[in-house]
Amino acid sequence: MSNSTSPSPVLSVRNLRREFENGAVAVQDLSFEVCAGEVVGLLGANGAGKTTAMSIILGLMTATSGSVRVFGMDPIRDRVAILRRCNFASAYTDLPSNLYVWQNLTVFGRIYGVKDIAARIDELLSLFEITHLKNRVTGHLSAGEGTRLQLCKALLNQPSLLMLDEPTASLDPDIADKVRKILRRVQQESGLAILYTSHNMRDIEEVCDRVLFMHKGRVAAEGSPREIVERFKQASMEDVFIRIVRDGDIESAA
Ligand SMILES: Nc1ncnc2c1ncn2[C@@H]1O[C@H](COP(=O)(O)OP(=O)(O)OP(=O)(O)O)[C@@H](O)[C@H]1O
Ligand SMILES: [Mg+2]
């Protein structure tokens, strides 16, 4: 959505740096904001630091330096208050495998203090067309089924900020198309802000209002998908991505 109606930042990242114990620097000097109701794509090559940045925003990892504010609060100090209004899904994380699908959603619903949990679970399972999986053991789900369960979990608490780390990675093209449309619809209805990573440029073009290209641990290019394609004089976001990653130098690639 345009940020012209709601310009307040729900997420603010300033000069973020994360260096690991082995000396590897995953995030060099990352700064960006996400405003209420905006869908922002975080793009970058494998290893560019996207998941690391999300982990810091979620309070799962500390930063070496720099600051993160979510709803104006600190991810470590104010973790509980932030997580009430925030959620996360990824194709690469699993919910407890030994629980039934409905049990997993009920546990998370209780953690988030969701009212009328059973009705909310039914609504979300129906939204993602996995009602038939409600009584299945979570560990027995296929990758794409598990991904859709993750998305149900992520929307349980009607978050104001949603972090999606490659949410469509395991989805077949038909389901991926449906999920993109569902996310867009939910986002437009609720004014939810989303930080979205994907290596699928169709996702990015369809879902994101604004794109941040991470390169060498910082934001190297920013704009709407259409602006970026025009600025880089390429035919598509896929071509822009390849150009940025292969050329290395953003200034000369643009
Ligand atoms: N615990 C760790 N110790 C050392 N290096 C790490 C650790 N976690 C991540 N890294 C490194 O930090 C860099 C960034 O990793 P990250 O997972 O954030 O990348 P990404 O942008 O999410 O990549 P992908 O597109 O492959 O998911 C990588 O080079 C990775 O190997
Ligand atoms: Mg990642």
Side-chain angles (χ1 to χ4, degrees):
M1 292 218 48
S2 157
N3 61 8
S4 59
T5 49
S6 354
S8 56
V10 290
L11 170 62
S12 170
V13 173
R14 285 281 155 263
N15 306 113
L16 193 70
R17 179 180 175 86
R18 173 67 209 210
E19 198 173 323
F20 289 106
E21 291 65 28
N22 63 1
V25 180
V27 178
Q28 181 94 35
D29 182 15
L30 182 67
S31 297
F32 66 91
E33 286 185 346
V34 176
C35 290
E38 242 195 328
V39 184
V40 175
L42 192 57
L43 299 191
N46 289 139
K50 305 177 297 293
T51 298
T52 303
M54 278 195 176
S55 303
I56 295 170
I57 294 164
L58 286 162
L60 300 172
M61 191 188 276
T62 54
T64 305
S65 60
S67 79
V68 173
R69 288 290 173 273
V70 189
F71 313 118
M73 296 184 278
D74 180 87
I76 304 288
R77 203 183 50 226
D78 306 311
R79 184 141 189 260
V80 172
I82 289 173
L83 292 182
R84 276 187 207 288
R85 301 166 59 193
C86 187
N87 215 317
F88 167 79
S90 163
Y92 299 114
T93 52
D94 293 317
L95 298 177
S97 62
N98 55 335
L99 298 185
Y100 294 113
V101 164
W102 68 267
Q103 287 176 321
N104 256 318
L105 291 173
T106 304
V107 168
F108 279 95
R110 288 201 182 133
I111 290 171
Y112 285 116
V114 174
K115 293 196 187 88
D116 206 355
I117 296 178
R120 180 76 183 139
I121 290 173
D122 285 346
E123 185 188 347
L124 288 167
L125 290 172
S126 165
L127 184 66
F128 288 100
E129 299 183 16
I130 52 169
T131 300
H132 59 291
L133 302 177
K134 186 174 175 178
N135 297 313
R136 294 269 287 275
V137 174
T138 302
H140 295 170
L141 299 182
S142 77
E145 290 167 348
T147 298
R148 281 183 280 165
L149 173 57
Q150 282 270 344
L151 288 165
C152 291
K153 184 231 82 171
L155 291 176
L156 263 176
N157 60 333
Q158 299 182 291
S160 303
L161 173 64
L162 188 55
M163 236 81 62
L164 298 177
D165 196 3
E166 301 192 41
T168 59
S170 59
L171 301 178
D172 73 47
D174 170 49
I175 299 295
D177 178 62
K178 286 181 177 169
V179 164
R180 283 192 288 269
K181 291 186 168 68
I182 292 167
L183 287 174
R184 212 41 175 145
R185 196 172 72 236
V186 169
Q187 187 273 329
Q188 281 169 352
E189 284 168 4
S190 66
L192 163 69
I194 303 179
L195 184 64
Y196 195 108
T197 83
S198 178
H199 292 299
N200 178 343
M201 293 304 117
R202 194 162 186 166
D203 277 13
I204 299 300
E205 282 166 336
E206 275 188 41
V207 178
C208 298
D209 301 308
R210 185 157 61 90
V211 165
L212 309 168
F213 259 102
M214 268 186 89
H215 187 65
K216 297 182 181 166
R218 35 171 78 88
V219 173
E222 182 175 350
S224 72
R226 192 191 293 174
E227 281 164 4
I228 289 199
V229 166
E230 281 173 12
R231 194 182 318 151
F232 283 78
K233 300 182 183 65
Q234 300 292 315
S236 66
M237 282 295 288
E238 190 129 348
D239 294 328
V240 173
F241 189 105
I242 292 169
R243 186 86 198 273
I244 289 178
V245 171
R246 291 198 188 154
D247 280 16
D249 178 2
I250 302 293
E251 297 307 322
S252 70

